[in-house]
């Protein structure tokens, strides 16, 4: 069981009185000190100051869940433009836009409304709509800050180009955008990427039908997330059966919390990256990271460090290169099976949703730019394979590795691996190679033998 952590909490929210409502109407501003409270009193919206800061922000927090008297902020409206002093007010204009101290801070609703109303809902969504219509013209769920709540989508609406991602706070006292962002990356096969500025820090790996392949924890059914990928949208949502939230924190950790009623605490259900091997491309291309050995980085079989000097100093980021160049044109290359904890980086990979592993291997073998292939149950249909046409990066071993990846190697290297097969994770591939070669030899023999027999004994049964 993961340790108990309270998450982002803040003490100095000033509660004076709440207006007994969950809606905001034009010409009825919400002043600093007042709060909107959702119908079942789950969430509250109002002004707050984080930590020791004197700046005032408009935010949404859990109204009733206050472990040890602390408040968990889940959304901040004006994270880039804080107010000074306690004279702030939030106002809904007659045309449906929101202003804080007469300053428009929100993307305008795309339509001008006649009779707008703003409402805080029980799932934590703050919405604007026409009073006589239930359709939202704007919702805070489309503009997350650092927290994903159940019902929010982390990802893309491809029709409008809206990209909803999570951006960490700069510090405990400062909700302005920090450098860590978690977003749904659409390059190659969709996956979550944790960015620090423009550097990738961690990746979730692609969805495999039940989970992202790098987020493999067994979890109770009530906590299962859902991934949707179609022509209109690509996003992750959290389970609505549990009280849970996903946060990217100021130190660059992606954490999922779950409320534990029995102890009235937020349980940090998981966090990533957990280990140095989960850091993005820790061992460079064709380098393999194994947290159970020291040094953690080594080269894949058939590869050697590109810069032995750097590797000797434990900087493996330059990665590995082939011992023997490929000879694809002559069709002599083969494939080595490695069993990894997750698929290698897929941002340049190609997904074939309807190809069996065999067909995939045949296709990869014939295409000289193909470096590897693997099975991938991404559609959940049991079919599907991934093909790489670039160098492989972010290779990780673990004691419960299950993802077989077939890597193209020159025949010479394959043969030398099969002769010095000692390490455990190679033996499988070597056995496979030997079996394949035996089968390749034996089948024609049997065939010719029986065909020869048939030809002489049952000559009239041949179809010619
Ligand atoms: C809506 O009203 C606000 C305040 O009166 C104004 O600043 C803004 O320009 C208006 N927006 C539109 C689209 O008319
Ligand atoms: C809502 O009210 C506006 C006028 O304020 C009207 O034009 C519109 O038809 C109404 N919509 C519905 C669904 O009743
Ligand atoms: C996060 O979303 C914002 C707003 O849609 C966008 O401008 C930014 O490029 C996104 N960042 C990433 C890393 O996706
Ligand atoms: C998806 O990945 C997780 C973690 O690696 C693994 O436990 C699970 O069995 C995989 N599911 C499928 C359908 O491949
Ligand atoms: C491979 O092809 C090259 C020409 O591309 C040729 O010179 C060489 O003899 C071939 N090797 C084998 C083993 O057939
Ligand atoms: C996938 O393959 C099956 C059988 O091979 C075929 O019936 C089906 O139409 C294919 N689906 C797509 C989307 O190509
Ligand atoms: C090999 O695969 C790459 C990537 O899919 C593709 O661009 C290229 O056309 C393929 N080459 C052949 C000969 O099929
Ligand atoms: C593919 O994923 C589906 C849905 O998670 C699962 O039921 C099925 O067993 C998986 N098939 C394989 C071959 O892993």
């Amino acid at each position: 069981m993961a340790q108990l952590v309270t998450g982002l909490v803040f003490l100095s929210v000033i509660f004076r009185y709440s207006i007994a409502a969950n809606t905001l109407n034009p010409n009825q501003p919400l002043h600093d000190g007042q709060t909107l409270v959702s119908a079942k009193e789950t969430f509250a919206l109002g002004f707050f100051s984080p930590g020791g800061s004197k700046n005032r922000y408009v935010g949404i927090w859990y109204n009733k869940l206050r472990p040890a008297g602390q408040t968990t902020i889940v959304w901040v409206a004006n994270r880039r433009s804080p107010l000074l002093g306690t004279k702030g007010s939030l106002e809904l204009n007659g045309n449906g836009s929101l202003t804080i101290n007469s300053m428009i801070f929100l993307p305008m609703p795309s339509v001008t409304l006649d009779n707008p109303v703003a409402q805080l809902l029980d799932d934590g969504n703050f919405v604007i709509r026409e009073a006589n219509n239930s359709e939202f013209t704007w919702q805070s769920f489309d503009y997350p800050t650092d927290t994903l709540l159940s019902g929010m989508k982390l990802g893309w609406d491809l029709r409008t180009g809206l990209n909803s991602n999570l951006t960490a706070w700069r510090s405990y006292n400062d909700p302005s955008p920090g450098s860590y962002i978690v977003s749904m990356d659409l390059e190659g096969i969709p996956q979550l990427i944790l960015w620090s500025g423009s550097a990738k820090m961690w990746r979730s790996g692609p969805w495999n039908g039940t989970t992202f392949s790098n987020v493999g924890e067994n979890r109770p059914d009530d906590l299962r997330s859902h991934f949707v990928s179609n022509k209109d949208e690509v996003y992750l949502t959290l389970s609505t059966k549990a009280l849970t939230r996903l946060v990217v924190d100021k130190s660059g950790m992606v954490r999922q919390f779950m409320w534990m009623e029995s102890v009235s605490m937020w349980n940090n259900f998981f966090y990533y990256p957990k280990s140095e091997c989960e850091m993005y491309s820790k061992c460079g291309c064709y380098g393999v990271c194994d947290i159970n050995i020291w040094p953690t980085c080594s080269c894949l079989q058939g590869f050697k460090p590109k810069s032995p000097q750097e590797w000797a100093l434990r900087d493996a980021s330059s990665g590995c290169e082939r011992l023997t160049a490929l000879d694809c044109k002559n069709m002599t290359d083969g494939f080595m099976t490695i069993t990894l904890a997750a698929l290698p980086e897929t941002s340049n990979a190609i997904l074939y949703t309807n190809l069996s592993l065999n067909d995939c291997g045949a296709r990869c073998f014939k295409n000289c730019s193909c470096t590897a292939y693997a099975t991938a149950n991404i559609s959940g249909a049991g079919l599907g394979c991934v093909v790489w046409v670039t160098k492989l990066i972010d290779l990780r071993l673990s004691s419960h590795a299950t993802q077989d990846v077939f890597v193209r190697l020159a025949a010479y290297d394959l043969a030398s691996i099969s002769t010095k097969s000692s390490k455990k994770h190679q033996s499988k591939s070597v056995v496979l190679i030997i079996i394949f070669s035996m089968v390749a030899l034996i089948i024609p023999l049997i065939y010719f033998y029986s065909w020869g027999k048939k030809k002489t004994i049952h000559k009239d049964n041949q179809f010619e």
Side-chain angles (χ1 to χ4, degrees):
M1 184 53 89
Q3 85 267 39
L4 295 168
V5 179
T6 49
L8 284 173
V9 285
F10 301 96
L11 292 164
S12 60
V13 177
I14 297 172
F15 304 99
R16 271 181 244 151
Y17 54 101
S18 55
I19 61 176
N22 58 18
T23 54
L24 201 60
N25 295 304
N27 310 316
Q28 178 216 17
L30 184 79
H31 295 290
D32 194 333
Q34 296 178 314
T35 52
L36 293 182
V37 176
S38 65
K40 289 182 185 150
E41 303 186 0
T42 316
F43 286 96
L45 180 150
F47 290 76
F48 73 99
S49 292
S53 170
K54 290 200 167 60
N55 289 341
R56 300 298 284 166
Y57 296 89
V58 174
I60 297 175
W61 57 85
Y62 291 97
N63 182 50
K64 286 190 290 196
L65 307 185
R66 297 219 189 97
Q70 297 180 312
T71 303
T72 310
I73 305 291
V74 297
W75 185 75
V76 184
N78 56 331
R79 65 191 307 195
R80 284 189 173 81
S81 39
L83 305 173
L84 287 167
T86 54
K87 291 272 181 321
S89 66
L90 172 72
E91 190 164 3
L92 178 66
N93 302 305
N95 59 20
S97 65
L98 281 167
T99 54
I100 295 178
N101 284 10
S102 309
M103 197 170 54
I104 301 221
F105 73 99
L106 293 174
M108 289 291 191
S110 46
V111 286
T112 299
L113 303 186
D114 293 325
N115 189 12
V117 60
Q119 185 173 19
L120 179 64
L121 305 180
D122 261 315
D123 56 3
N125 199 3
F126 186 47
V127 303
I128 300 175
R129 57 181 173 80
E130 199 76 81
N132 62 357
N133 195 328
S134 59
E135 212 174 289
F136 313 147
T137 55
W138 181 90
Q139 57 175 338
S140 63
F141 271 16
D142 283 341
Y143 305 93
T145 52
D146 67 340
T147 301
L148 191 76
L149 297 171
S150 301
M152 286 169 98
K153 296 173 178 179
L154 174 50
W156 290 81
D157 185 331
L158 301 169
R159 295 159 299 194
T160 60
L162 181 72
N163 169 14
S164 297
N165 51 42
L166 308 179
T167 306
W169 287 30
R170 190 165 289 278
S171 75
Y172 185 77
N173 289 332
D174 182 1
S176 66
S179 56
Y180 295 106
I181 298 185
V182 177
S183 66
M184 183 67 71
D185 202 74
L186 301 182
E187 291 285 313
I189 304 168
Q191 58 181 339
L192 294 179
I193 300 276
L194 171 66
W195 298 88
S196 172
S198 59
K200 290 183 184 177
M201 302 303 288
W202 174 78
R203 66 187 180 95
S204 69
W207 191 259
N208 73 3
T210 47
T211 176
F212 287 113
S213 48
N214 278 334
V215 187
E217 258 94 343
N218 278 330
R219 49 175 66 201
D221 279 350
D222 279 0
L223 262 188
R224 276 192 200 294
S225 303
H226 302 281
F227 174 68
V228 173
S229 177
N230 57 41
K231 67 178 190 359
D232 294 332
E233 294 178 294
V234 182
Y235 64 84
L236 173 78
T237 57
L238 301 178
S239 165
T240 50
K241 291 180 186 157
L243 195 45
T244 181
R245 62 193 165 96
L246 184 83
V247 177
V248 55
D249 75 15
K250 60 185 189 311
S251 59
M253 289 284 184
V254 182
R255 298 179 183 273
Q256 186 169 355
F257 293 94
M258 183 189 165
W259 181 254
M260 305 230 300
E261 197 60 60
S262 54
V263 288
S264 292
M265 292 277 269
W266 287 107
N267 176 21
N268 188 183
F269 187 73
F270 71 55
Y271 63 96
Y272 291 97
K274 283 196 299 289
S275 71
E276 62 175 298
C277 281
E278 290 180 355
M279 301 305 291
Y280 187 81
S281 192
K282 165 84 180 150
C283 304
C285 50
Y286 297 116
V288 188
C289 198
D290 187 345
I291 196 69
N292 296 314
I293 57 169
W294 178 259
T296 48
C297 286
S298 58
C299 285
L300 214 53
Q301 295 279 302
F303 293 81
K304 61 177 194 298
K306 202 165 181 180
S307 164
Q309 296 88 343
E310 283 172 25
W311 273 69
L313 296 171
R314 303 281 178 258
D315 174 5
S317 55
S318 56
C320 308
E321 60 188 10
R322 292 182 185 281
L323 292 170
T324 309
L326 295 176
D327 185 19
C328 179
K329 295 243 161 54
N330 290 348
M331 310 270 259
T332 61
D333 297 340
F335 290 92
M336 163 180 70
T337 311
I338 51 169
T339 305
L340 298 170
L343 291 174
E345 164 67 308
T346 50
S347 65
N348 287 304
I350 300 155
L351 175 66
Y352 296 100
T353 49
N354 213 12
L355 219 51
S356 73
L357 192 60
N358 278 342
D359 294 345
C360 198
R363 187 176 288 214
C364 183
F365 181 66
K366 276 188 255 163
N367 187 330
C368 288
S369 51
C370 178
T371 50
Y373 66 96
T375 183
N377 190 6
I378 288 169
S379 59
L383 264 177
C385 82
V386 180
V387 163
W388 285 264
V389 291
T390 53
K391 292 172 177 172
L392 303 179
I393 57 172
D394 220 22
L395 311 179
R396 207 156 44 77
L397 287 175
S398 87
S399 43
H400 21 260
T402 55
Q403 179 71 59
D404 283 347
V405 178
F406 305 90
V407 180
R408 183 188 288 268
L409 273 192
Y412 180 83
D413 291 337
L414 268 180
S416 59
I417 287 171
S418 63
T419 55
K420 57 164 187 167
S421 68
S422 57
K423 280 192 186 159
K424 206 174 87 201
H425 69 267
Q426 297 161 10
S427 52
K428 197 170 165 188
S429 59
V430 171
V431 169
L432 276 179
I433 290 164
I434 292 171
I435 290 176
F436 277 138
S437 358
M438 281 166 65
V439 168
L441 281 173
I442 290 168
I443 286 181
L445 282 179
I446 295 173
Y447 180 75
F448 282 122
Y449 176 73
S450 57
W451 186 74
K453 264 171 101 176
K454 278 185 192 154
K455 194 146 196 166
T456 50
I457 299 169
H458 309 289
K459 198 165 182 167
D460 41 1
N461 285 347
Q462 298 299 310
F463 13 7
E464 281 170 310

